[in-house]
Amino acid sequence: MKKLKIVLIAAAALSMGITANAQSKWGDTPDDSIACISNVSLYQEFYKQKLYTDCYEPWRQILLHCPRYSRTPYQRASTIMHAMIATATTEEERNAYIEELMNAYDQRIQYFGESAKVKAMKAQDLSTLKPTDYKRIYEIYAEAVSEGIEQIDENYTTLFFAATVDYVKAGYAEPTLIIDNYDIVTTRLEDISETVVDDSVKLAKIAGYINNVEAVFSPYATCEQLNEIYQKKFEADPHDINLLKKITYILTKKDCTEDNKLFFDAATNLYELEPTPQTALMMAEMCWGKKQYGKAVEYAQDAVKSLTEKKDLYNAYIVMGRAYSGQGSYSAARNSFLRAAEIDRSKGYPYIFIAMAYASGSRSIDDGMGGRSAYWAAVDELSRAKQVEPTEQVAKIVDRLSGQYRSYFPKKKDAFMLDLIDGHSYVVPGWIGKSTIIRTR
């Protein structure tokens, strides 16, 4: 009786003349509209009671007769079809249900858009149902990412990267694809991190995703493996700008620049072909790695004139400071490190490098103790580094260097002979010129 009432209401609505938009939503013909309204009622009731297998047939009729009715039936497709897949008694039947679910995702895109987002969901669903279908899973993810990675939830970017590794392991692509997609995924996650710095929960979530990607990538991330992968490509076309950018970027990101001939050759070619602030920075890093400190300073100075990105400017001043230190120009090195610290106040490394400059330049300090007072200032800078960036990595470096530098503190009896008393103030002479506290061992 209830179903008859629904049909009569639908027929009355149609007889009154519904708009073209309504016909589009409820079906293209009066028969479609009547079938749609009656099946919507049945589908909603079964779904509400979690009778998903009973829900299947009216749900299927909705997609058939009025696919524009609502986005909701498509959003519930996975739940309904997973229930049906669980009832399959043969592999053929199971596969048919899986394909029906995949088609539902396609139909959702056709009528409601959001292609990138929906394709990512489709790939994830397929990976749970057919986890060894590496080729199809990856290709769907790849379509989603190429259509708009910014439209995809960050969780799907990590799943895309895992699918990339499976795809390569299965023999469908070269290992360079892993590196290419690592770049895409980490860049996206890092971009998101910069937008949620004030949300500690969200920031921790993104950091977790980045750690997961790094863990998957680690077997392919050694400098030797990266060089092996890219050396052949470089030799095949040493003047391909896009390839040169990729090589220099990934080797820099994975800290594989020092004493690396591939990086040297690629950076040199790139600078000749495209002398930009970014390539000048690469040349500075390369020259520093080869201990060509004078050239490194020149390239870094050239880079900072035009660089605008905070991260690049920070790196340029760090390279400049380390190059000055390599020359023995410790005061200039400190100035460079202080500029880096101003650019990114969350980093402790500038203060670590200043401490190292104090230690390296200690012999130039005329304090009657062979420059030992420089180590007081150095330990102060290390403490500051730990306060600014309280991470495990920084703490390990600080603790190691602090222990080393404290061993150079003057002995109590030697300090006493110079009227130096523990805990009293002291200004380190010479180019350091820092106020500190006397400490002995």
Side-chain angles (χ1 to χ4, degrees), residues 202-307:
K202 183 75 170 178
L203 195 61
K205 181 181 177 183
I206 300 302
Y209 289 145
I210 292 174
N211 289 337
N212 289 341
V213 171
E214 291 288 353
V216 174
F217 183 56
S218 60
Y220 305 89
T222 68
C223 296
E224 292 78 9
Q225 287 168 320
L226 293 174
N227 282 358
E228 182 179 353
I229 289 169
Y230 279 114
Q231 184 65 43
K232 293 179 181 178
K233 287 183 173 290
F234 175 77
E235 291 173 356
D237 194 350
H239 300 293
D240 180 338
I241 288 182
N242 291 329
L243 175 62
L244 296 173
K245 287 179 178 179
K246 191 172 293 183
I247 292 172
T248 51
Y249 173 81
I250 197 68
L251 291 179
T252 300
K253 190 168 187 176
K254 300 309 293 182
D255 196 22
C256 298
T257 61
E258 191 171 357
D259 295 326
N260 189 328
K261 187 177 184 302
L262 174 61
F263 179 79
F264 177 88
D265 294 339
T268 301
N269 287 5
L270 183 57
Y271 186 75
E272 290 175 356
L273 292 167
E274 192 174 276
T276 65
Q278 285 73 24
T279 55
L281 175 55
M282 289 178 190
M283 291 298 292
E285 292 170 338
M286 177 192 68
C287 290
W288 176 83
K290 294 179 71 64
K291 299 183 180 179
Q292 297 174 354
Y293 300 125
K295 289 184 178 180
V297 168
E298 290 177 9
Y299 283 122
Q301 288 175 335
D302 185 39
V304 298
K305 292 176 184 176
S306 304
L307 286 171

Side-chain angles (χ1 to χ4, degrees), residues 141-161:
Y141 270 129
E143 286 179 9
V145 168
S146 66
E147 288 177 9
I149 193 171
E150 69 283 349
Q151 301 168 29
I152 300 171
D153 186 88
E154 53 267 17
N155 178 55
Y156 291 115
T157 63
T158 65
L159 297 175
F160 162 63
F161 186 67

Side-chain angles (χ1 to χ4, degrees), residues 149 180-194 210 213 249 253 311:
I149 193 171
D180 293 344
N181 288 350
Y182 167 82
D183 180 17
I184 292 171
V185 169
T186 54
T187 298
R188 173 58 181 159
L189 293 175
E190 287 166 1
D191 288 345
I192 295 173
S193 294
E194 292 179 3
I210 292 174
V213 171
Y249 173 81
K253 190 168 187 176
K311 186 187 301 183

Side-chain angles (χ1 to χ4, degrees), residues 12-30 33:
L14 290 169
S15 66
M16 293 173 65
I18 52 182
T19 66
N21 286 338
Q23 285 183 344
S24 176
K25 174 180 177 179
W26 293 100
D28 293 332
T29 68
S33 299

Side-chain angles (χ1 to χ4, degrees), residues 124-173:
Q124 192 274 335
D125 221 348
L126 181 62
S127 69
T128 63
L129 295 168
K130 302 184 77 172
T132 59
D133 196 352
Y134 304 124
K135 186 175 187 294
R136 188 178 182 190
I137 293 167
Y138 171 76
E139 288 175 349
I140 298 171
Y141 270 129
E143 286 179 9
V145 168
S146 66
E147 288 177 9
I149 193 171
E150 69 283 349
Q151 301 168 29
I152 300 171
D153 186 88
E154 53 267 17
N155 178 55
Y156 291 115
T157 63
T158 65
L159 297 175
F160 162 63
F161 186 67
T164 301
V165 174
D166 289 337
Y167 184 73
V168 171
K169 284 183 176 179
Y172 293 112

